[in-house]
Amino acid sequence: MKYLVLIALIFICQADLAQEVNLYEVEQLPFCSKTNDEYNLIPYKKGGFLISNQQSGGMTQVKDLQNNNISSIFYQNNLKSKRPSAIKVDLNMKFHIGSFCMNEKNDCLVFTAQKSLDDLTLGLYISRKKRGNWSKPKLIFAGYEKMNLMDPFMTSTGDTLFFVANMPGGAGGTDIYMAIGTIGDWPTLRSLENNINTAFNERYPKYYNNTLYYSSTRVFGNGGLDIYSVRLTERGFISAPFHFPSPVNTENDDFAYYPIDEETGYFSSNRNGNDDLFHLKVNFPQFDCQPYIPVARCFEFSEEGENSTDSTLYEFEWKFSDGTTYRGEIVNHCFAASGDYTIELNLIDKATNKVYDHVASYDLEVLNTEQMEFEMQERIPRGSILRLNAPKTSIKDDISFYWDFGDGSYGQGRDVTHVYNRTGQFQISLGEVKMIDGVAQKNCTSKIIVVTP
């Protein structure tokens, strides 16, 4: 991967995620060329805008000083086409154009480009569409000499611009920044912290539904750039970065993920030798979830026979097969799990503290239900971290866990965190897929959580 042709240049990993259920489905877009680069797709209508170094139809191809084709923004009018049908977006730029973003109306472009023939560093430019034509690009964030500013992404309202830079004082490599203001004027800059920026390279930020998607060369990835996501709240980025597993991330560069919704999106990868575009679909399993019903595991035990025992000399002792022991005529005990238990009632000689008589023995079955009993808070303040853990299983069990948080967000793995950004009542569902002899067996339990202001 590269900044552009001129310059040479993700939680805690999700736990126990089995791939047999094919959670992630990846497909290369059919029009991608075997020789040219296509990356940074922004869908629009049936097609999409993208970066490519392909030949502009019927025109003499402009090349750089190294005789490489100039990369530009194109519009591909049909993403399902097997042949390129791209039209170049004329921005009257003589240099390579790199990653870019557009506003909701698609009449404003912010893009990455070389600053001048003599200055090989990269800057961010803005151009607006007026009466069908794009205005002359204008450099934004002027004054950042000898620095690279690139990879812009505007929020839907345009009041926040995410971008990447190698500014002094950063975490190292290239870092992600937020600029706040209005379209074309974002005076307030802030670096993203909290496990987002690292000593490595963070690139290609995209923002959707309180989630930041980005790529990074940080350690523990698959290699090159890998795609990550992290939840954003009013208090900052507080969930651990989620590292997308294979086949999304590979040992090559995987980057510029553009989410369509919680379950679909597009990303770029050079896994086939040059930059190509891929469609991603998350196949979240469908579950028939049952509301959680508390299991009766707490009992009162008492001796039902006629009691003529001299309490000054003897006392009752209750021994449970889970290792618990009580003394007294009446005791209460809660079993930690379902199963079969044995309860022994003994008479203890107080003088010797030894068993004087074995009074009785009981067998008790604590019912084993099919529901999963995950622990969670019943009420939680908006914006705070909710930590959820699936039940522990044998290391030999081939089990995948899937979480539906009830607010349009999902999670995968045994241990997850989530942040609710609005108040209300939500149903949290934990689905389990257990592979037995190659057959998937499903189980799902749901609980209600109340999110307070």
Side-chain angles (χ1 to χ4, degrees):
M1 187 45 210
K2 43 195 176 295
Y3 285 133
L4 294 170
V5 176
L6 294 173
I7 301 178
L9 280 177
I10 13 145
F11 260 93
I12 305 169
C13 291
Q14 75 284 2
D16 305 317
L17 179 61
Q19 296 301 312
E20 287 79 8
V21 294
N22 296 321
L23 182 61
Y24 297 95
E25 181 180 313
V26 168
E27 182 180 14
Q28 182 175 329
L29 299 189
F31 65 84
C32 289
S33 167
K34 293 182 179 180
T35 55
N36 299 323
D37 290 327
E38 296 95 2
Y39 70 97
N40 199 101
L41 177 69
I42 296 180
Y44 179 66
K45 295 183 177 179
K46 293 183 178 181
F49 294 91
L50 55 95
I51 293 293
S52 178
N53 58 357
Q54 63 184 279
Q55 176 77 32
S56 301
M59 300 175 62
T60 301
Q61 179 67 43
V62 180
K63 295 182 178 289
D64 63 17
L65 297 178
Q66 289 75 37
N67 202 37
N68 297 310
N69 290 349
I70 293 290
S71 57
S72 303
I73 301 175
F74 289 79
Y75 179 72
Q76 172 77 19
N77 58 26
N78 186 353
L79 298 183
K80 296 182 179 180
S81 173
K82 295 183 179 180
R83 301 177 62 182
S85 56
I87 302 172
K88 183 179 179 180
V89 176
D90 187 8
L91 294 170
N92 195 26
M93 292 291 290
K94 299 179 181 180
F95 309 112
H96 289 283
I97 293 177
S99 52
F100 67 98
C101 64
M102 305 182 77
N103 64 343
E104 260 187 336
K105 296 181 180 179
N106 293 96
D107 60 2
C108 179
L109 267 170
V110 178
F111 60 90
T112 309
Q114 181 182 331
K115 293 175 184 174
S116 69
L117 185 61
D118 299 323
D119 188 352
L120 299 184
T121 61
L122 304 175
L124 295 176
Y125 290 81
I126 188 170
S127 178
R128 299 176 185 269
K129 196 171 188 179
K130 299 178 181 179
R131 294 185 292 275
N133 296 313
W134 292 96
S135 65
K136 182 179 179 180
K138 176 184 176 182
L139 180 68
I140 54 179
F141 302 123
Y144 291 87
E145 290 83 6
K146 298 181 181 181
M147 301 179 205
N148 292 302
L149 277 68
M150 53 195 171
D151 302 341
F153 181 81
M154 275 188 291
T155 56
S156 59
T157 57
D159 60 354
T160 302
L161 180 77
F162 293 91
F163 67 95
V164 169
N166 60 343
M167 295 183 185
T174 54
D175 296 324
I176 302 175
Y177 292 82
M178 282 176 64
I180 301 172
T182 58
I183 293 181
D185 181 24
W186 297 279
T188 303
L189 297 186
R190 129 175 177 211
S191 172
L192 302 188
E193 305 292 345
N194 233 8
N195 294 328
I196 304 301
N197 289 327
T198 67
F200 300 87
N201 293 319
E202 277 67 52
R203 299 288 310 273
Y204 302 102
K206 312 289 183 184
Y207 180 76
Y208 171 78
N209 194 23
N210 298 313
T211 300
L212 181 77
Y213 299 86
Y214 65 101
S215 291
S216 175
T217 59
R218 65 193 299 168
V219 294
F220 304 121
N222 288 12
L225 285 165
D226 279 3
I227 300 172
Y228 294 81
S229 69
V230 67
R231 297 288 294 177
L232 171 64
T233 74
E234 295 173 355
R235 303 179 185 180
F237 295 90
I238 57 177
S239 68
F242 173 75
H243 177 257
F244 283 79
S246 175
V248 181
N249 284 320
T250 66
E251 61 184 8
N252 302 100
D253 288 324
D254 306 288
F255 57 99
Y257 181 70
Y258 190 97
I260 302 302
D261 51 39
E262 294 285 354
E263 299 178 355
T264 57
Y266 295 93
F267 70 97
S268 308
S269 177
N270 66 354
R271 63 189 63 186
N272 294 328
N274 51 283
D275 293 337
D276 293 315
L277 295 165
F278 293 80
H279 178 261
L280 169 64
K281 181 180 179 182
V282 181
N283 297 315
F284 196 88
Q286 298 298 310
F287 294 97
D288 181 17
C289 275
Q290 303 299 318
Y292 174 74
I293 301 174
V295 178
R297 287 188 180 154
C298 296
F299 303 89
E300 180 181 278
F301 298 88
S302 63
E303 169 55 36
E304 296 181 353
E306 182 178 347
N307 186 4
S308 59
T309 303
D310 187 346
S311 61
T312 62
L313 300 176
Y314 307 100
E315 65 179 335
F316 287 108
E317 178 188 68
W318 301 83
K319 295 187 68 174
F320 296 84
S321 59
D322 62 0
T324 309
T325 301
Y326 299 94
R327 290 193 180 184
E329 292 185 21
I330 301 175
V331 298
N332 294 284
H333 180 62
C334 294
F335 295 93
S338 302
D340 295 322
Y341 296 91
T342 299
I343 302 98
E344 293 183 358
L345 177 59
N346 299 316
L347 196 61
I348 302 298
D349 186 331
K350 287 186 175 182
T352 63
N353 201 35
K354 294 182 178 180
V355 175
Y356 174 77
D357 186 23
H358 296 286
V359 178
S361 179
Y362 304 90
D363 290 324
L364 176 66
E365 179 185 6
V366 179
L367 294 179
N368 183 20
T369 64
E370 293 298 323
Q371 62 186 356
M372 291 176 290
E373 301 183 46
F374 61 94
E375 297 293 330
M376 75 171 207
Q377 299 167 257
E378 294 183 357
R379 302 177 72 87
I380 190 171
R382 179 176 64 92
S384 59
I385 304 176
L386 175 66
R387 303 184 187 278
L388 296 166
N389 309 100
K392 298 298 182 182
T393 56
S394 167
I395 195 172
K396 297 180 180 179
D397 290 340
D398 189 1
I399 300 177
S400 301
F401 296 102
Y402 306 92
W403 300 84
D404 183 342
F405 301 112
D407 63 347
S409 301
Y410 303 92
Q412 304 92 41
R414 184 183 302 280
D415 306 318
V416 298
T417 60
H418 186 63
V419 175
Y420 289 95
N421 288 290
R422 65 181 191 271
T423 59
Q425 182 173 285
F426 302 92
Q427 177 177 290
I428 297 179
S429 299
L430 169 60
E432 171 193 78
V433 177
K434 181 183 296 186
M435 303 299 294
I436 300 178
D437 297 329
V439 178
Q441 296 186 4
K442 296 182 179 180
N443 188 17
C444 186
T445 300
S446 63
K447 292 184 177 181
I448 299 297
I449 190 169
V450 176
V451 180
T452 60

